[in-house]
Amino acid sequence: MTPKRRMLRLFALFGFLLVLCPVAPAQSLRMPPHEKFVLKNGLTVLLMEKRGVPLINVFALVKTGAAADPAGQEGLASITAGLLRKGTKSRSAQQFSADFDYIGGSFGADAGADFTNIGAEFLTKDLARGLELFSDAVLHPTFPRNETDKILAQSLDGVKSAKDEPQAVLGLYYGGYLYGSHPYGRPSDGDELSLRRIQRDGVVKFYEANYAPGNTILGIAGEFDAAEMRKKLEETMGVWTARAVANTSISAVPPAKGKRLLLVDKPDATQTYFTIGNIGTAVNDPDRVAIRVVNTIFGGRFTSELNEALRVESGYTYGARSFFDSRKAPGPFEIVSFTKNETTTPAIDLALQVLEKLHKNGVTAEQLASAKSYIKGQFPPTIETSSQLVRRIVVDEYYGLGDDEVNQLEARVDAVTPAIAKQVIDKHFPLDNLVFVLIGKASAIEPAVKKYADKIDQRRISDPGFWPPLAGSQK
Amino acid sequence: MKAIWYRSSALLLLCLLGISALPAWAQSQEFPVSTRTLKNGMKVLVQPDHSIPNVALYIFYRIGSRNEHPGTTGLSHFFEHMMFNGAKKYGPGDLDKVMEANGGSNNAYTTQNVTVYQDWFPRSALSLIYDIEADRIRDLTFDPKKIASEREVVASERRLSVDNNNFGLLDEQLWASAFIAHTYQWPVVGWMSDIEHWTMDDLKHHFEMGYSPSNATMVVVGDISPDEIFQLCEKFIEPIPSHAPPPPVTTIEPEQLGERRLVVHKPVELPIVMIGYHIAQTNDPDFYALNILRSVLFQGESSRMYQRLVDKDQLALDVSSDVEPAFDPTLAIITAQPRQSVDPQACEKAIYEELDKVKGAPISDQELEKAKNGRLVEFYREMRTISGRANTVGTYEVFMGDYNKLFDAAKNYSAVTKEDVQRVVKKYFGANNRTVATLLPESEEKAKP
């Protein structure tokens, strides 16, 4: 159901666990063994045999994502991914769905900022069929005109539907307002303006320019025999023709200076939804484990400072949290919460006080010990299933991270001291330079929230797009 | 999904899987469950799994909003929040702090039927978790200051999931109209005015009514052995005295004799249509045929409703169905979001036509097979995590009356015939048995004369 999907997206942002500093290996937690090889056409393959339930998970990562959408055509990478299953050389969209559904399998494709991901799941007994269907969609999509028109119109209505629910779009406004014309400011699923500009020709060009074996990492995890799988892959994904792909790079953006605030008016809102933050960190930041430890204390769990203050002690909200959405280039850092119209400024004031307190007091030894236990104790269920593991090995491969992200996690977490935490707070958690985005009833909250920034911007939620006002004005 | 309310939203991912779908687990020998009933009446189910060094511990209390009364609606859910706000040994705030400092986390959810407490932790925290659980079952305390602030938290939760969520809002109105007698008519989170007015005495009474150990089932899955769990239960849980369970809910919803319709107006971009049909409770033999029917109609992009409404006629952005586990006859809800400028009644008409097609001619062999395959994969998906298994075992035990029904599910699904599917669609999905709720953009309504 639609709202369920949005909730998943919203809460799926706790980010990756990423580590670097070399310390003695921890014994208790190991990445299960897996093998890596490259097919003749340049496709990188990762295989992990995992017994338990007779399921297989396939996850392909194309190293081009929404950040490569041409300005003004935001959503192109997502539309391209969405169309993979909507018609191939040998199957109509309807036939593809009928075949995949018949084996009880699932198939999905989407684009995030840094990469496109294509995933499938099916029973081990249906391996041959599942793999054939998967490669059919990846290698032989035809992008039928009627299906392209349909998905564009549906996506347009999808944006409207999302705007009916402030929680579903808060991050999109924040991304746009924080990053401006930088590619990370683009809504990955497009907006009411950009989706009208995308044409079938552009989709075909995007596919041809970016979908190639040399630009793709394929992972498979689950109950299978690796030698047999390798043979099957050569027959299916191995016939994908190699072709040159232009390298995509993404520039880093320095954190925003000063304070600015975007107020998005939703006249019927009885609650204000807010994000406060700045540019955060890249996925391979050497401080990533220490950042995770500190953020666990600050806003990354139920007893975090933020949730304690805004929920447990004051009752202002059902939840308050913070996270680093780390990407190839520095991604956003966000403090997120919501509160009824009347307590909008008390809640935001309190969130800012908690942030100031973090900078002033750092973290205690007791808090550090607790956060370390928490991270270590909660980590194993995140590498429990083949669907989790396949995504992790492929994404880590893409970002140039190895198994030590898992194998060294405990040691690296344990190595964080109060002094290191203090350095991380100073370096990575914003204080004086802050970007605010609020969705709420402007007539009720506007006068009070002006105090947070010198620069105030306003728009109505019904205005097309997220930010800037006209996607066409982007260079 | 609207009928499930969580204590904390960040953990939602772990709990979303459709407990309404209980498909086939063929190899029972791979799935040994040990059981014991404690002297105080609490039943304990244990399933060891050493694939990760963690444990999922779920406690199901057979109490939910169906046990409430007008004036104190939402009390079960509010009480669920209060179970984290202080007992004798672990005072206000201590439970979460101690649990997280030892690597554990928790959540809880409340439905119309049950209140479920969930702990996820490394096995090193095992005996601590039992100390915490025993403390709050035995000696919960009620701090007036905590009640005041938690009341605000729940009000915020209601604003998030109902007042500022159109699907939640319409769902609430639908139940309130579809049930005129039975207690499923009010929202699990409670009406806002009830949230503002319940008292400390209401809470104490609720604790006495619903939280007898004999009214609970504990499920433990993970890096443990049955013996160590039973020993911990003997030490921590068994000494807690039992008392009378909640009085039975005796009201039976009278048969609905004609279509009911309701409209909600809001300033929204897109309308929503929800259609609720009264169906049997979870332990009814029709459960399996109903699930197969829902698969044929709604599961995957090749399903009949998706093909018709989303793909071919392009009337809706999405169409889905939802059924929650229930002790009493409940609702199957069909939800569709009409596309921009599509009349919601066009969606309705297409849905009725698709239902009529199944009534008129049996589904194909291929569709039946597809539905069964889909249920099987869905089941494995739930069973591959320790938390998914704890939830599924508990749900079978509580709603089907016996976790062993889990091992019959494969048999029961394969026994479903095309004729069974046709029989249940005729039995439940008629015009007189439905309630139709529509959310309309305000401007449209204002434009009417």
Side-chain angles (χ1 to χ4, degrees), chain A residues 284-313:
Chain A
N284 61 355
D285 193 293
D287 293 335
R288 56 193 181 272
V289 173
I291 290 170
R292 185 178 175 89
V293 172
V294 173
N295 191 61
T296 297
I297 296 167
F298 176 64
R301 59 177 177 174
F302 192 84
T303 63
S304 70
E305 303 269 276
L306 270 176
N307 200 58
E308 281 285 323
L310 272 75
R311 170 171 166 155
V312 178
E313 282 162 24

Short mmCIF file of all heavy atoms in Angstrom, two decimals, chain A residues 284-313:
data_model
loop_
_atom_site.label_atom_id
_atom_site.label_comp_id
_atom_site.label_asym_id
_atom_site.label_seq_id
_atom_site.Cartn_x
_atom_site.Cartn_y
_atom_site.Cartn_z
N ASN A 284 32.85 7.24 2.94
CA ASN A 284 34.16 6.68 3.32
C ASN A 284 34.92 7.58 4.29
O ASN A 284 36.14 7.46 4.42
CB ASN A 284 35.00 6.41 2.07
CG ASN A 284 35.27 7.70 1.30
OD1 ASN A 284 34.74 8.76 1.67
ND2 ASN A 284 36.08 7.62 0.26
N ASP A 285 34.22 8.48 4.95
CA ASP A 285 34.88 9.39 5.88
C ASP A 285 35.65 8.59 6.94
O ASP A 285 35.10 7.66 7.54
CB ASP A 285 33.84 10.28 6.56
CG ASP A 285 34.48 11.45 7.30
OD1 ASP A 285 35.19 11.21 8.31
OD2 ASP A 285 34.28 12.59 6.86
N PRO A 286 36.92 8.92 7.17
CA PRO A 286 37.71 8.16 8.16
C PRO A 286 37.09 8.18 9.56
O PRO A 286 37.34 7.28 10.36
CB PRO A 286 39.07 8.88 8.17
CG PRO A 286 39.09 9.72 6.94
CD PRO A 286 37.68 10.00 6.53
N ASP A 287 36.27 9.19 9.84
CA ASP A 287 35.65 9.29 11.18
C ASP A 287 34.32 8.54 11.27
O ASP A 287 33.59 8.69 12.26
CB ASP A 287 35.38 10.76 11.51
CG ASP A 287 36.66 11.56 11.68
OD1 ASP A 287 37.70 10.95 12.02
OD2 ASP A 287 36.63 12.79 11.46
N ARG A 288 33.97 7.73 10.26
CA ARG A 288 32.58 7.26 10.18
C ARG A 288 32.12 6.44 11.39
O ARG A 288 30.96 6.54 11.79
CB ARG A 288 32.35 6.50 8.88
CG ARG A 288 33.26 5.31 8.62
CD ARG A 288 33.12 4.86 7.17
NE ARG A 288 33.93 3.73 6.82
CZ ARG A 288 35.20 3.82 6.38
NH1 ARG A 288 35.78 5.00 6.29
NH2 ARG A 288 35.86 2.74 6.06
N VAL A 289 32.99 5.63 11.98
CA VAL A 289 32.54 4.84 13.13
C VAL A 289 32.35 5.74 14.36
O VAL A 289 31.36 5.63 15.08
CB VAL A 289 33.52 3.70 13.44
CG1 VAL A 289 33.14 3.01 14.73
CG2 VAL A 289 33.52 2.70 12.29
N ALA A 290 33.28 6.65 14.55
CA ALA A 290 33.16 7.57 15.69
C ALA A 290 31.91 8.43 15.54
O ALA A 290 31.19 8.71 16.51
CB ALA A 290 34.41 8.43 15.80
N ILE A 291 31.62 8.84 14.30
CA ILE A 291 30.41 9.63 14.04
C ILE A 291 29.17 8.81 14.41
O ILE A 291 28.24 9.31 15.05
CB ILE A 291 30.35 10.04 12.55
CG1 ILE A 291 31.41 11.09 12.24
CG2 ILE A 291 28.96 10.57 12.20
CD1 ILE A 291 31.59 11.37 10.76
N ARG A 292 29.21 7.54 14.05
CA ARG A 292 28.05 6.70 14.36
C ARG A 292 27.86 6.55 15.87
O ARG A 292 26.73 6.59 16.37
CB ARG A 292 28.22 5.32 13.71
CG ARG A 292 27.00 4.46 13.91
CD ARG A 292 27.11 3.12 13.24
NE ARG A 292 25.94 2.33 13.60
CZ ARG A 292 24.81 2.33 12.93
NH1 ARG A 292 24.67 3.08 11.86
NH2 ARG A 292 23.78 1.60 13.32
N VAL A 293 28.96 6.41 16.57
CA VAL A 293 28.87 6.28 18.03
C VAL A 293 28.28 7.56 18.63
O VAL A 293 27.36 7.52 19.45
CB VAL A 293 30.26 5.97 18.64
CG1 VAL A 293 30.19 6.02 20.16
CG2 VAL A 293 30.76 4.59 18.17
N VAL A 294 28.83 8.70 18.21
CA VAL A 294 28.34 9.97 18.76
C VAL A 294 26.89 10.20 18.38
O VAL A 294 26.06 10.62 19.19
CB VAL A 294 29.22 11.15 18.30
CG1 VAL A 294 28.61 12.48 18.74
CG2 VAL A 294 30.64 11.01 18.85
N ASN A 295 26.53 9.91 17.12
CA ASN A 295 25.15 10.14 16.71
C ASN A 295 24.17 9.21 17.42
O ASN A 295 23.03 9.56 17.65
CB ASN A 295 25.00 10.02 15.20
CG ASN A 295 23.64 10.51 14.76
OD1 ASN A 295 23.31 11.68 14.96
ND2 ASN A 295 22.82 9.63 14.22
N THR A 296 24.63 8.02 17.77
CA THR A 296 23.79 7.11 18.57
C THR A 296 23.41 7.81 19.88
O THR A 296 22.25 7.78 20.30
CB THR A 296 24.54 5.80 18.86
OG1 THR A 296 24.79 5.15 17.61
CG2 THR A 296 23.73 4.89 19.76
N ILE A 297 24.39 8.45 20.49
CA ILE A 297 24.13 9.17 21.75
C ILE A 297 23.25 10.38 21.52
O ILE A 297 22.32 10.65 22.27
CB ILE A 297 25.48 9.59 22.39
CG1 ILE A 297 26.29 8.36 22.77
CG2 ILE A 297 25.23 10.51 23.59
CD1 ILE A 297 27.75 8.64 23.11
N PHE A 298 23.53 11.10 20.43
CA PHE A 298 22.84 12.37 20.19
C PHE A 298 21.40 12.17 19.68
O PHE A 298 20.46 12.76 20.22
CB PHE A 298 23.62 13.21 19.17
CG PHE A 298 22.93 14.49 18.81
CD1 PHE A 298 22.70 15.48 19.75
CD2 PHE A 298 22.48 14.70 17.49
CE1 PHE A 298 22.06 16.67 19.41
CE2 PHE A 298 21.83 15.87 17.15
CZ PHE A 298 21.62 16.86 18.11
N GLY A 299 21.22 11.33 18.65
CA GLY A 299 19.87 11.22 18.08
C GLY A 299 19.58 9.91 17.38
O GLY A 299 18.66 9.82 16.58
N GLY A 300 20.36 8.87 17.70
CA GLY A 300 20.26 7.64 16.93
C GLY A 300 19.59 6.48 17.61
O GLY A 300 19.66 5.35 17.13
N ARG A 301 18.94 6.70 18.75
CA ARG A 301 18.23 5.59 19.40
C ARG A 301 17.16 6.17 20.33
O ARG A 301 17.07 7.38 20.50
CB ARG A 301 19.21 4.71 20.19
CG ARG A 301 19.98 5.46 21.26
CD ARG A 301 20.88 4.52 22.06
NE ARG A 301 21.66 5.27 23.04
CZ ARG A 301 22.44 4.71 23.94
NH1 ARG A 301 22.53 3.39 24.00
NH2 ARG A 301 23.13 5.44 24.79
N PHE A 302 16.39 5.28 20.96
CA PHE A 302 15.26 5.76 21.76
C PHE A 302 15.74 6.64 22.93
O PHE A 302 15.16 7.69 23.22
CB PHE A 302 14.43 4.59 22.29
CG PHE A 302 13.12 5.03 22.87
CD1 PHE A 302 12.02 5.24 22.04
CD2 PHE A 302 12.99 5.29 24.22
CE1 PHE A 302 10.82 5.69 22.56
CE2 PHE A 302 11.79 5.73 24.75
CZ PHE A 302 10.70 5.92 23.91
N THR A 303 16.82 6.22 23.61
CA THR A 303 17.29 7.02 24.76
C THR A 303 18.31 8.08 24.35
O THR A 303 19.07 8.56 25.18
CB THR A 303 17.92 6.14 25.85
OG1 THR A 303 19.10 5.51 25.29
CG2 THR A 303 16.98 5.07 26.35
N SER A 304 18.33 8.45 23.07
CA SER A 304 19.26 9.50 22.65
C SER A 304 18.88 10.82 23.33
O SER A 304 17.76 11.00 23.80
CB SER A 304 19.19 9.66 21.14
OG SER A 304 17.94 10.23 20.76
N GLU A 305 19.85 11.72 23.34
CA GLU A 305 19.62 13.03 23.95
C GLU A 305 18.41 13.74 23.34
O GLU A 305 17.60 14.33 24.05
CB GLU A 305 20.86 13.91 23.74
CG GLU A 305 22.13 13.32 24.27
CD GLU A 305 22.38 13.75 25.70
OE1 GLU A 305 22.92 14.85 25.89
OE2 GLU A 305 22.01 13.01 26.62
N LEU A 306 18.31 13.66 22.03
CA LEU A 306 17.20 14.34 21.34
C LEU A 306 15.85 13.75 21.74
O LEU A 306 14.91 14.47 22.08
CB LEU A 306 17.36 14.20 19.82
CG LEU A 306 18.15 15.26 19.06
CD1 LEU A 306 18.25 14.86 17.59
CD2 LEU A 306 17.55 16.65 19.20
N ASN A 307 15.74 12.41 21.68
CA ASN A 307 14.45 11.79 21.97
C ASN A 307 14.10 11.93 23.45
O ASN A 307 12.93 12.09 23.81
CB ASN A 307 14.46 10.33 21.54
CG ASN A 307 13.06 9.78 21.35
OD1 ASN A 307 12.28 10.31 20.55
ND2 ASN A 307 12.73 8.74 22.09
N GLU A 308 15.12 11.85 24.30
CA GLU A 308 14.88 12.06 25.74
C GLU A 308 14.28 13.44 25.97
O GLU A 308 13.31 13.60 26.70
CB GLU A 308 16.19 11.94 26.53
CG GLU A 308 16.65 10.51 26.77
CD GLU A 308 15.83 9.80 27.85
OE1 GLU A 308 15.43 10.45 28.84
OE2 GLU A 308 15.56 8.60 27.69
N ALA A 309 14.87 14.46 25.32
CA ALA A 309 14.42 15.84 25.57
C ALA A 309 13.06 16.11 24.95
O ALA A 309 12.15 16.62 25.60
CB ALA A 309 15.46 16.82 25.04
N LEU A 310 12.92 15.75 23.67
CA LEU A 310 11.71 16.16 22.94
C LEU A 310 10.52 15.22 23.14
O LEU A 310 9.39 15.62 23.00
CB LEU A 310 12.00 16.30 21.43
CG LEU A 310 12.50 17.68 21.01
CD1 LEU A 310 13.94 17.92 21.41
CD2 LEU A 310 12.32 17.91 19.52
N ARG A 311 10.81 13.97 23.46
CA ARG A 311 9.69 13.03 23.70
C ARG A 311 9.55 12.68 25.17
O ARG A 311 8.53 12.97 25.79
CB ARG A 311 9.88 11.74 22.89
CG ARG A 311 8.89 10.68 23.31
CD ARG A 311 8.85 9.45 22.44
NE ARG A 311 8.11 8.38 23.13
CZ ARG A 311 7.49 7.37 22.53
NH1 ARG A 311 7.50 7.28 21.22
NH2 ARG A 311 6.86 6.46 23.24
N VAL A 312 10.59 12.05 25.72
CA VAL A 312 10.43 11.44 27.04
C VAL A 312 10.20 12.50 28.13
O VAL A 312 9.32 12.35 28.97
CB VAL A 312 11.66 10.57 27.37
CG1 VAL A 312 11.54 9.96 28.76
CG2 VAL A 312 11.83 9.47 26.32
N GLU A 313 10.99 13.58 28.10
CA GLU A 313 10.88 14.56 29.19
C GLU A 313 9.78 15.59 28.96
O GLU A 313 9.11 16.00 29.89
CB GLU A 313 12.23 15.24 29.41
CG GLU A 313 13.19 14.34 30.18
CD GLU A 313 14.65 14.77 30.03
OE1 GLU A 313 14.88 15.96 29.74
OE2 GLU A 313 15.54 13.91 30.19
#
